[in-house]
Amino acid sequence: MASNPDDAVASTEPTSASKNTPLTVDQVEDIDDIVMYIPDNYSKKESFIRNEIRHNVKLCVVKTKDGHTLTKEQNNRLVLFLRAMDGISMTKKLGKDSLAVPTFSAILNKPNHFNFPQTYLNMIDALLKKWGESWDQGNEAIDDDTDDTGDETATTSPTPTSEPKVEITLMRRAPRNHPIYGANGIMRGIVIKQGKTRSYCLDTAWPKSDAKVYGHNGLNIGDWWPLQIVALRDGAHGARMGGIAGNEQHGAHSIVVSGQYSELDRDYGTTLFYSGSGSAENTKNTPPDTRATRCLASSINTRNPVRVLRSAGGSGSAPAVGIRYDGLYEVIEKSLLKNKLNGSYWQFKLVRQDGQPAMDFTHPTSSEQYSTEYIKSGY
């Protein structure tokens, strides 16, 4: 399963660190210029969501029961949290473990008890409908950072006896006229989180194309992005870091060929041999059974086309920098093989579909490559 290390780039620009230093809630002047960061790691994400929900529920129940209103700072924190929830990949397991789904459902069912203002009830209702519709269609997200076993029966994490401190990270959006991160820049809709290392997240207010679509999805062969998260923004690939995105029943929508499993995978341009997630590190006689791998396995039966993207550091067909869209492939077959640790893994053969334009190796252009240097400077 490929991943893109460029999505967590160490900052070497001291000026970037000063410009993109995280804010605190009381420093927020215009809420529309700010994005709340939710951790990517599954356990941290679960803990953050659970504790932030408990904080806001307690505020609304206690603070407003006697007719009091939330302060500006308290309102800002709640709004930013709900907006951030709209931008994460919510799985059934995360919704249960973090208490998001049961708590949000209770808030809607007993509005007079929880005393959430109607504006926030509307936002919560929209979130639950969005997640439910995705799950009903079998389009549950594949979480990049969870233990991808497909186990949906895990028990809900116990509620802590005392509420630990919640560290809130707020990030400022780039000016709309910024040449790289602004409305017309190549990094539009991307927000920088600057700490010891730099990472990037999607701006929930920016229109995001749905990647849960088979076919070209409005893309042109040769389309190029500096980072995988930017391809996610445009609907090219449905995972911020993971190499396989799709539907377990109907097949993968897209894959990223990154060279992570270079000792296992082979790339001949129009023919690919691509290994399932966990293949190189498996030591067991049983191959890893992950959601991502099951997506590719389903593609053999459905023959739904898979978008193939190649990222820098991969095969000879890979771009010099960034990530490029190379067209539609079909998953023809899978083979059970052994890695150097004598562990079993599934490898899939993909063949490029006929009748589409040839791969466009002119991307990235010199100007596109040059733009990657400006990305490091931040905003």
Side-chain angles (χ1 to χ4, degrees):
M1 183 176 180
S3 63
N4 191 345
D6 286 340
D7 282 314
V9 180
S11 175
T12 57
E13 303 286 339
T15 54
S16 299
S18 61
K19 287 186 288 186
N20 300 116
T21 300
L23 305 169
T24 58
V25 178
D26 60 344
Q27 292 175 315
V28 174
E29 296 178 1
D30 187 348
I31 194 173
D32 290 330
D33 289 339
I34 305 299
V35 178
M36 178 180 283
Y37 173 76
I38 293 183
D40 296 315
N41 175 272
Y42 183 87
S43 59
K44 292 180 180 179
K45 183 190 301 182
E46 173 201 334
S47 178
F48 179 89
I49 293 172
R50 182 176 61 245
N51 284 283
E52 192 64 6
I53 285 174
R54 293 174 66 238
H55 169 85
N56 286 296
V57 167
K58 183 178 179 181
L59 263 183
C60 287
V61 171
V62 176
K63 185 81 174 178
T64 64
K65 68 177 181 179
D66 296 323
H68 296 94
T69 58
L70 300 179
T71 66
K72 178 182 178 181
E73 181 179 319
Q74 291 164 343
N75 266 303
N76 285 347
R77 179 169 170 174
L78 179 53
V79 171
L80 289 170
F81 172 65
L82 292 176
R83 288 179 179 175
M85 290 292 283
D86 189 45
I88 68 171
S89 298
M90 179 60 74
T91 64
K92 291 180 182 179
K93 185 177 187 301
L94 179 60
K96 180 181 178 182
D97 290 352
S98 67
L99 306 182
V101 171
T103 305
F104 282 176
S105 298
I107 289 170
L108 291 182
N109 291 332
K110 297 181 179 179
N112 294 331
H113 173 73
F114 288 95
N115 294 319
F116 272 60
Q118 187 60 48
T119 300
Y120 305 143
L121 292 178
N122 293 341
M123 295 175 74
I124 289 170
D125 185 48
L127 284 172
L128 289 175
K129 287 179 178 177
K130 173 185 174 181
W131 299 336
E133 289 173 359
S134 179
W135 300 338
D136 289 343
Q137 295 168 7
N139 285 329
E140 181 179 0
I142 297 175
D143 198 300
D144 289 325
D145 299 288
T146 188
D147 179 14
D148 193 13
T149 61
D151 180 13
E152 294 295 344
T153 62
T155 57
T156 303
S157 300
T159 303
T161 55
S162 61
E163 182 177 0
K165 180 181 179 181
V166 177
E167 295 185 2
I168 304 296
T169 301
L170 303 180
M171 302 163 293
R172 194 182 302 279
R173 291 188 173 99
R176 289 189 62 82
N177 62 351
H178 193 280
I180 298 296
Y181 289 88
N184 297 313
I186 197 168
M187 292 288 285
R188 61 192 178 278
I190 307 298
V191 182
I192 295 175
K193 177 182 177 290
Q194 185 69 59
K196 292 182 180 180
T197 60
R198 173 186 294 178
S199 59
Y200 303 89
C201 68
L202 291 173
D203 184 345
T204 55
W206 189 266
K208 174 187 170 186
S209 298
D210 188 1
K212 303 181 185 72
V213 175
Y214 293 103
H216 293 298
N217 199 20
L219 303 172
N220 295 312
I221 292 172
D223 281 350
W224 175 89
W225 304 269
L227 300 171
Q228 185 166 318
I229 193 172
V230 190
L232 170 63
R233 177 201 66 195
D234 290 348
H237 186 58
R240 189 184 67 85
M241 293 176 64
I244 304 171
N247 181 293
E248 287 188 55
Q249 293 180 327
H250 303 294
H253 298 114
S254 57
I255 64 170
V256 175
V257 181
S258 71
Q260 181 188 11
Y261 291 164
S262 57
E263 74 275 21
L264 304 179
D265 297 346
R266 289 167 288 160
D267 184 356
Y268 301 114
T270 57
T271 302
L272 288 171
F273 292 90
Y274 190 88
S275 304
S277 53
S279 294
E281 55 269 33
N282 187 43
T283 59
K284 300 178 181 178
N285 194 44
T286 303
D289 182 25
T290 66
R291 292 193 187 102
T293 303
R294 290 196 293 271
C295 286
L296 279 175
S298 293
S299 297
I300 299 173
N301 297 323
T302 64
R303 283 294 193 268
N304 282 326
V306 179
R307 289 187 297 277
V308 169
L309 296 89
R310 288 180 171 86
S311 69
S315 67
S317 301
V321 293
I323 183 170
R324 186 188 63 228
Y325 175 51
D326 285 341
L328 300 176
Y329 287 63
E330 286 189 13
V331 184
I332 304 301
E333 61 186 19
K334 65 177 181 178
S335 301
L336 186 61
L337 304 176
K338 291 283 189 177
N339 60 28
K340 63 181 180 181
L341 302 175
N342 203 36
S344 297
Y345 68 97
W346 289 115
Q347 187 174 82
F348 299 86
K349 179 181 179 181
L350 293 87
V351 176
R352 197 170 189 270
Q353 287 187 335
D354 295 330
Q356 55 184 329
M359 288 185 284
D360 186 352
F361 297 115
T362 63
H363 293 275
T365 63
S366 57
S367 62
E368 287 171 336
Q369 292 191 54
Y370 194 55
S371 70
T372 61
E373 295 302 313
Y374 285 96
I375 290 172
K376 298 175 184 178
S377 298
Y379 50 83

